[in-house]
Amino acid sequence: MATSNDFYNGMVIRKNGKLYSITEFLHVKPGKGGAFVRSKLKEVKTGRVLDVTWRAGEKVDDVRLERSKTQYLYKDDQFHFMKMNDYEQFSLTAEEIGKKAQFLKDGLEIEILFDGSTPVIVELPNFVELTVVTTDPGVKGDTVSGGSKPATLETGAVVQVPLFIEEGERLKIDTRTGAYVSRV
């Protein structure tokens, strides 16, 4: 058990049976009355944000997550992974992974945070290299739309790319925003 005085950004706590990550907190000591802590909690599964006020020293259930290097293997009706340290295989659904699933490529090494034996958070590398499968040809002078066009990548993700990008090119994609960064 920890207290509200031990809060730090990124700390994971259990509240009402759900896991929350602390994104912001502020210790407040008013001139009158007792001290308290204002915090913003982000639910790990859904990403929903809560504003919670705690009394100073209030006990919270601190959760220690185990970080494990993992390799993405393949997808059928679920996404299959293998831990790199003990070669244990497990699978997750698209809902459990979230929007990050569109950037998973066979053989990609990622990190997954576990609560005991339950996978909780999937962390992709900040950038991945993916090949363009289909895109419209860019027409010279067609910059009315801001000079970009949609491109479908090998994983099925659709990103906006500059007009000069053609099919078969390898691109560097930012997994945090889903945006094109550069050609490789």
Side-chain angles (χ1 to χ4, degrees), residues 63-164:
V63 178
R64 301 288 178 193
L65 299 179
E66 175 190 334
R67 183 176 296 272
S68 177
K69 279 201 176 294
T70 308
Q71 183 178 32
Y72 170 63
L73 299 175
Y74 64 95
K75 176 189 181 228
D76 47 22
D77 57 331
Q78 292 188 330
F79 293 84
H80 298 272
F81 300 90
M82 176 181 66
K83 288 184 180 179
M84 299 299 283
N85 58 350
D86 61 1
Y87 306 109
E88 175 189 340
Q89 293 188 16
F90 61 95
S91 58
L92 298 172
T93 64
E95 294 80 32
E96 292 172 318
I97 298 172
K99 293 180 180 179
K100 298 173 185 176
Q102 65 183 338
F103 300 113
L104 286 174
K105 178 181 168 186
D106 294 354
L108 182 67
E109 288 190 15
I110 62 174
E111 288 194 345
I112 296 184
L113 300 175
F114 289 86
D115 179 18
S117 62
T118 307
V120 178
I121 301 173
V122 176
E123 291 182 349
L124 295 178
N126 291 341
F127 302 101
V128 292
E129 294 178 7
L130 299 171
T131 305
V132 176
V133 176
T134 58
T135 188
D136 296 331
V139 179
K140 188 173 182 178
D142 182 20
T143 58
V144 173
S145 63
S148 66
K149 61 183 180 179
T152 305
L153 305 176
E154 63 186 295
T155 60
V158 178
V159 297
Q160 291 294 320
V161 297
L163 294 173
F164 58 83

